[in-house]
Amino acid sequence: MSNKREREKRREQRLQEETKVDAGERRTRLLQFGAGAVFLVIVAVVVLIVVNSGGSSGGDAQNLKEVSAVDSLVSGVPQNGMVLGKTDAKVELIEFGDLQCPVCKAYSEEILPQVIENKVDSGEARIVFKNFTIIGEQSAPAGAAALAAGEQGRGWNYLELFYRNQGEENSGYADDEFLTAVAKGSGVKDIAKWNQERTGKKLTGEVEKTTEQAQTFGFTGTPSFAIKGPNTKGIELLGSLSTPEEFEQAIDAAG
Amino acid sequence: MIAMKFPTEARLRRIIAFVAALGIGVATYITIADSGGGAPTCLAGGGGCETVANSSYSHIAGVNVAVFGIVGYVLLLVSAFFANDLARFGGFAVALGGFGFSVYLTYLEIFKIEAICQWCVASAVLMTILFLLNATRLIGYAGTTTAAVPEEA
């Protein structure tokens, strides 16, 4: 009896010691993993910073990208000024944007193409771009340049091509040379007329007017959206929806 | 042998839970303020928050970076409720990742966006505190059982 108890006691002791050794090993391993993780994170942060500190792509007048991608996105869709889609579409989606705004670029590349494909191509909705210039000095001239392209039926080509070649905010890339390169790339035929109109009172005044309108709506950032249709009470504010599906639902609800 | 005086694990866990809860609050505020098309309001005026929220760096693959913050803080809060090695190491790893991410975001604010948003700074400070707390917890208690006393180093 006492032998058995002793054996059990010894067994318990041995187990405890083994657990202690295990725990020690586990501790060492965990701390090693921890140190490895610290090292990896330091490397990751350094790499991210180095990658970001390089010159940003875009904003290069000599080397416009994605001219054909823009063509295929908007070709075949009717355009009138800055309106994309059929004029008799039931629902009007209004985008207040700034050509220098990187979030607007992201919307134009990742969210709006699906909306255009599903709702604008089908004639259910049209999208109107209005300038809400908040980023910096070059925002308003860029906005007016887009409107001037719109006068020649190339407003949305201009907008989309500008976004796809957008440079870093307020880095000064959106100069006359860049604006002209985008106009040529987006198929504006009469560059002399475009040049005259983009600096003319009519279009620069329009940019100011729509910016004021956005402020009246209480918008503080770009892009901000509003919608108008048979089921809305005048213009209803949408703010910044974040998925194409949300836009499609808003269009369905408004029509 | 140098006996290091660590705070008890229970105490560390309580502080971690508290700071993580604060972090959830800050990150949630940023997410909600940004989702309506607006931006977080800077307390002392100035447009820093708006500039930061409107910059291209505020979203990754269309997701507001603050959402990643919420996820991180929630995981840290959860890790504070368990006293095992998984929670200790998991908490440390999440806090380390969050800390690294915060360093990167702060770099972007200062050098790339050239604007500071207090809410982001607040989150970075909370994440730094959480990293230190979780590192202390891991070093002090890795490999111990629930009721363990601090290891001697």
Side-chain angles (χ1 to χ4, degrees):
Chain A
M1 194 66 187
S2 71
N3 253 355
K4 196 180 171 196
R5 210 177 290 156
E6 229 164 75
R7 267 209 311 276
E8 268 179 15
K9 208 175 162 190
R10 273 206 302 271
R11 187 168 165 266
E12 218 166 83
Q13 248 174 5
R14 202 180 61 233
L15 278 175
Q16 267 180 359
E17 271 164 23
E18 276 172 10
T19 321
K20 216 174 168 184
V21 172
D22 274 358
E25 273 175 13
R26 209 166 59 230
R27 176 182 161 75
T28 314
R29 236 189 357 256
L30 280 174
L31 291 181
Q32 280 169 348
F33 275 138
V38 169
F39 176 73
L40 282 180
V41 167
I42 291 173
V43 171
V45 171
V46 169
V47 166
L48 272 174
I49 289 177
V50 168
V51 166
N52 264 287
S53 63
S56 93
S57 59
D60 186 356
Q62 309 297 329
N63 186 22
L64 288 185
K65 296 177 295 185
E66 300 197 52
V67 176
S68 56
V70 169
D71 273 347
S72 69
L73 177 68
V74 294
S75 72
V77 189
Q79 283 190 52
N80 179 18
M82 294 310 290
V83 182
L84 182 74
K86 290 184 181 152
T87 35
D88 62 352
K90 276 195 297 184
V91 178
E92 182 172 286
L93 179 68
I94 307 163
E95 175 187 358
F96 286 93
D98 183 322
L99 277 92
Q100 280 212 84
C101 149
V103 184
C104 303
K105 170 187 163 76
Y107 267 75
S108 114
E109 290 175 354
E110 289 157 26
I111 294 176
L112 293 180
Q114 188 182 321
V115 181
I116 293 172
E117 206 172 292
N118 292 342
K119 295 292 173 187
V120 178
D121 286 355
S122 66
E124 286 170 76
R126 57 179 184 268
I127 309 182
V128 185
F129 176 85
K130 294 191 180 198
N131 283 288
F132 178 21
T133 54
I134 55 169
I135 304 275
E137 265 180 26
Q138 290 185 328
S139 296
L147 298 186
E151 297 289 304
Q152 299 187 37
R154 292 284 172 171
W156 273 79
N157 301 64
Y158 194 96
L159 199 61
E160 296 290 336
L161 191 61
F162 190 108
Y163 282 143
R164 278 162 178 71
N165 289 279
Q166 192 184 60
E168 194 163 339
E169 287 170 59
N170 291 333
S171 60
Y173 72 93
D175 53 10
D176 283 347
E177 187 196 356
F178 180 77
L179 296 181
T180 310
V182 175
K184 287 177 181 162
S186 55
V188 172
K189 292 261 169 356
D190 190 340
I191 293 290
K193 178 170 175 268
W194 170 81
N195 243 327
Q196 211 170 31
E197 286 182 338
R198 75 186 173 99
T199 47
K201 270 230 169 70
K202 184 187 157 203
L203 298 185
T204 52
E206 175 74 18
V207 173
E208 278 170 32
K209 205 184 84 190
T210 50
T211 298
E212 277 165 26
Q213 190 186 9
Q215 282 160 348
T216 320
F217 283 152
F219 291 141
T220 55
T222 50
S224 291
F225 291 86
I227 200 164
K228 198 169 73 179
N231 292 337
T232 64
K233 296 183 188 109
I235 294 177
E236 282 179 10
L237 307 185
L238 296 175
S240 303
L241 305 181
S242 50
T243 63
E245 288 74 23
E246 286 177 5
F247 278 100
E248 289 170 19
Q249 281 161 14
I251 289 168
D252 288 341
Chain B
M1 283 211 294
I2 307 157
M4 285 180 65
K5 204 172 179 196
F6 271 93
T8 64
E9 185 173 25
R11 185 166 197 190
L12 280 172
R13 285 166 53 203
R14 272 199 299 276
I15 307 173
I16 289 170
F18 177 70
V19 180
L22 286 180
I24 293 174
V26 171
T28 307
Y29 169 67
I30 299 175
T31 310
I32 293 173
D34 186 65
S35 66
T41 308
C42 275
L43 295 179
C49 296
E50 206 163 284
T51 311
V52 173
N54 276 322
S55 82
S56 57
Y57 302 107
S58 67
H59 289 70
I60 293 174
V63 180
N64 190 324
V65 292
V67 174
F68 296 105
I70 297 177
V71 173
Y73 286 121
V74 167
L75 289 173
L76 286 167
L77 182 62
V78 171
S79 79
F81 284 96
F82 299 92
N84 55 41
D85 278 343
L86 178 68
R88 290 176 194 126
F89 188 78
F92 171 76
V94 171
L96 173 67
F99 174 65
F101 195 47
S102 297
V103 169
Y104 169 64
L105 292 176
T106 308
Y107 156 81
L108 289 178
E109 278 190 89
I110 297 172
F111 295 102
K112 302 299 280 187
I113 309 172
E114 294 177 356
I116 290 283
C117 170
Q118 299 150 348
W119 294 101
C120 312
V121 174
S123 174
V125 169
L126 292 176
M127 199 49 102
T128 307
I129 295 171
L130 282 169
F131 170 60
L132 294 174
L133 289 170
N134 277 285
T136 310
R137 186 184 178 196
L138 183 74
I139 293 168
Y141 299 96
T144 62
T145 49
T146 311
V149 287
E151 289 261 340
E152 282 179 304

